[in-house]
Amino acid sequence: MKPERLSQALAGTLAILSMISLFYLLSVHALVKAIKDEMIRSHRIELDHTAALIRFSRGEPDNLPSLLKDASEALVLPDKLVVTGADGHELFRSEEAASLSVPPLNGGRTYLFREGYHYLFADAGEGIGLVSAVEHAEVRQAYRPYAMTALALPAAALAVFLAAAAWYARRMIRPVRDMLAVAAGNAGTGMPNRRIGLNEARDAVNGLIQERELLIRGAAEHRAALATLDYMNRLRNLNPDMKESGSIPDADSYLLIVLDFRRRNAGYSEWEADPGHPFVSDMIAAVRRFAETHARDAHAFQIDPMQLVAVLPEADRELVIAALREQLPRWRQSPFAGLELTAVVSERIERRTLLTEAYRQACQIAERNAEQGGFELIEAHSDEESDSGNDDGKRRVPPAVPVTGAGADEMDSLAAFVLDMIRKRYDQDLSLHYLSDLLNMSNTYLSTYIKEKTGKTFSDHLHDVRVRKAQELLVTTNQTIHDIASQVGYVNFSSFNRMFKKHTGLTPGEYRKRQIIRIHKSG
């Protein structure tokens, strides 16, 4: 190719690449702007919802501060909110807006960006104005991952292209260089020596064997983690729409062992808060060794902070019970030293679909017998065996029945109705104001009544249910944290983060990471 044509080709290629890059940057800019506009729009919806709430309560202007305070506790208001009256004085200011400098409300203005804040204005009627502020840093945090990903894609593509070009050039240049060396009479200098020594060959083989062992070990750990997840979903009847990984073996029967332990002194308070503590790891390892000794494809794992479970496919129940009676005294010394332990052995389970019911009955039996303390082995039996005589001296426990929590009988119908509404509709826009209207009573009276009867406020009960459901979804699903926050009823993601950390001491991301590590360790 002539130099003139080569220059023209390079110039054309650069022009095309420049046009593509410009179009791509414009697309990234449009994406960032769309994300920012959507976030501002969601805050606008929250502010309009608050304005509608104020207009709805226009008949009780004296109760407006109380109404806004209750709504703020229920986290249905924007984080940074200021409400002003007709004469310009403040009627309400949220805690997050304590140090916020609010610009004046000029007529007709609905949006203003100033000093790193996006200010949104709304009119609730009768001279009442609302101002909500969103930090630009929060908006930037929302679109930064998308922008970085969008910019990283062309960089990665360019790196791959350059690497491929270098590899292709090397493949093309090397044969030419070798041929030139042969033509010059120096073929030996251009062709590498492919012979290796015995020691080098042995090291290479040993390296391959070690790599194979690491791969096998990693695959085994992966299968154990999947088995733990499958068994947890099966025993607790979670995620029925999630397809099992096939790690639960098909067997003619299963045997379930539930070990419920409680600490007897303060020496275990450390690992009680940290399931990954070596004490718990030693317990899981001991139970797993016992299970694998008596059944092929047995699996043992931690299902709760104070409970271990072992599933033994096609195991001899009588032999397992006899071995467990011999094992308990040794476990008393280590690793269950200083603990009260209740071990419940289920009956022979004919189908895997019955594992859920067997686990539920075993937990109820363990719960009823936990107060007696000590190291105890209990055999679960059917109705016929429970009614028969105990000639063999073994302790017989009747089938488990539902157990009601203490104090449930003392709770009146009104408080029970409110708690039932929270359990059923926690994922909706449920508020104390809505329930007071539904029950035809004032917000203040209903709030005080719930606190007196249950010991907690309405907001405390609502957040407890939402956070517990979020904890379950973080561990048992692959949904994003944003999706989980929306699914459990939080409109504002920052409010969900704050409330989750208040209840658990961890952010949602930290909680999910710690639970995944715990499941892998227990697997």
Side-chain angles (χ1 to χ4, degrees), residues 112-321:
L112 174 66
F113 178 78
R114 191 177 73 179
E115 298 178 356
Y117 282 87
H118 300 267
Y119 292 93
L120 305 177
F121 302 86
D123 184 10
E126 296 185 0
I128 297 177
L130 287 81
V131 182
S132 175
V134 184
E135 289 187 74
H136 186 66
E138 182 180 350
V139 176
R140 186 168 59 247
Q141 185 179 4
Y143 66 70
R144 177 176 292 176
Y146 299 94
M148 295 302 294
T149 302
L151 293 176
L153 287 176
L158 179 61
V160 172
F161 172 78
L162 292 177
W167 175 83
Y168 183 77
R170 185 177 180 183
R171 290 289 300 272
M172 291 295 294
I173 292 174
R174 186 170 180 175
V176 174
R177 184 180 59 194
D178 292 339
M179 286 188 295
L180 292 176
V182 172
N186 298 319
T189 59
M191 303 296 291
N193 186 6
R194 295 298 180 184
R195 295 181 179 179
I196 61 176
L198 181 61
N199 292 334
E200 185 179 355
R202 183 173 60 249
D203 294 339
V205 172
N206 291 335
L208 291 174
I209 293 175
Q210 293 177 0
E211 183 177 356
R212 176 178 176 274
E213 291 175 352
L214 289 175
L215 291 174
I216 293 174
R217 190 181 305 117
E221 293 174 354
H222 181 67
R223 286 195 300 270
L226 290 177
T228 297
L229 182 60
D230 284 350
Y231 274 119
M232 290 180 70
N233 287 337
R234 172 67 65 177
L235 296 179
R236 288 188 165 178
N237 198 24
L238 299 174
N239 303 306
D241 57 334
M242 181 183 293
K243 186 178 180 180
E244 292 183 353
S245 64
S247 55
I248 299 180
D250 291 324
D252 295 333
S253 65
Y254 302 86
L255 196 64
L256 191 66
I257 302 176
V258 176
L259 297 102
D260 200 312
F261 52 92
R262 301 170 185 268
R263 64 187 180 94
R264 198 162 52 201
N265 52 54
Y268 286 86
S269 58
E270 179 184 354
W271 62 259
E272 187 176 6
D274 183 8
H277 195 280
F279 281 131
V280 182
S281 300
D282 293 342
M283 295 176 189
I284 298 172
V287 175
R288 182 179 294 117
R289 285 194 299 269
F290 176 86
E292 291 175 351
T293 302
H294 294 86
R296 183 182 178 185
D297 297 326
H299 191 63
F301 56 97
Q302 182 181 16
I303 196 170
D304 270 330
M306 308 298 283
Q307 188 180 88
L308 305 180
V309 172
V311 183
L312 291 74
E314 299 181 350
D316 189 324
R317 185 172 184 269
E318 297 301 323
L319 291 179
V320 170
I321 291 174

